[in-house]
Amino acid sequence: MANLVSLGLLLALAGALCRQADATAFEVGSDDGWVVPPASDGGRYNQWASKNRFLVDDIVHFKYNKEDSVMVVTEDDYNNCRATHPIFFSNNGDTEVELDRPGVFHFISGVTGHCERGQKMAIKVIGQGTPPPAPSATPSPPHPSGAAPSAGAIAVVAMALPVIVLGF
């Protein structure tokens, strides 16, 4: 019985290590960061988001001027550029948001007029084990979650295996 409990704990630990190693950090806006896009590029952030594949536990990193802000809002507040009741708010110039659930996350700038000028983004997050979306005309690079388990997770399992099998 103790061996089964040990095996369960070991597998949970190995799973957590693999999941953490697979998380990806995305830089919003590349070199420009989170800024008001030019009038000719109002869909900049949604175009960027559509070219990436976001999984639960990934992180989106916003770098911006400290006079600006980033908010997570409801879909209705996103559609209407309403910043009065954010789900999350930050204005420190360097914000990371963990995508902690599947579904759509809606981001806007909280500065008056910025959202209306295109400083907004919707990100669709898929859960672990969700089938990938249908291929598009411009496929995105594969997400590291399709990679083999990390060396650290394999080492943990390999070191613990004699303990489980032999009952030490």
Side-chain angles (χ1 to χ4, degrees):
M1 183 67 166
N3 284 346
L4 289 177
V5 171
S6 296
L7 177 62
L9 290 172
L10 180 64
L11 291 175
L13 175 64
L17 288 172
C18 289
R19 192 170 32 251
Q20 187 177 28
D22 289 343
T24 299
F26 292 89
E27 294 293 326
V28 176
S30 302
D31 293 337
D32 294 337
W34 180 242
V35 297
V36 177
S40 62
D41 196 12
R44 168 188 292 191
Y45 296 108
N46 284 330
Q47 289 170 3
W48 172 83
S50 71
K51 293 177 183 173
N52 290 290
R53 182 173 178 216
F54 300 95
L55 298 176
V56 172
D57 295 330
D58 283 348
I59 295 169
V60 286
H61 181 223
F62 295 82
K63 291 195 104 178
Y64 52 95
N65 188 312
K66 287 188 179 185
E67 285 78 44
D68 207 339
S69 63
V70 62
M71 297 179 161
V72 177
V73 296
T74 65
E75 181 178 9
D76 187 51
D77 287 349
Y78 171 85
N79 290 333
N80 293 294
C81 288
R82 204 171 27 234
T84 52
H85 299 292
I87 298 166
F88 170 82
F89 169 83
S90 180
N91 64 349
N92 66 8
D94 190 18
T95 301
E96 289 186 344
V97 177
E98 181 182 354
L99 304 173
D100 59 356
R101 60 172 173 76
V104 179
F105 285 73
H106 297 91
F107 299 92
I108 66 171
S109 168
V111 175
T112 302
H114 285 200
C115 176
E116 291 84 355
R117 292 170 43 205
Q119 195 176 0
K120 62 192 258 181
M121 174 176 63
I123 289 179
K124 182 176 181 182
V125 179
I126 59 175
Q128 301 294 339
T130 303
S136 64
T138 56
S140 61
H143 190 278
S145 65
S150 69
I154 292 171
V156 168
V157 173
M159 287 187 296
L161 196 55
V163 173
I164 295 167
V165 173
L166 301 175
F168 289 111

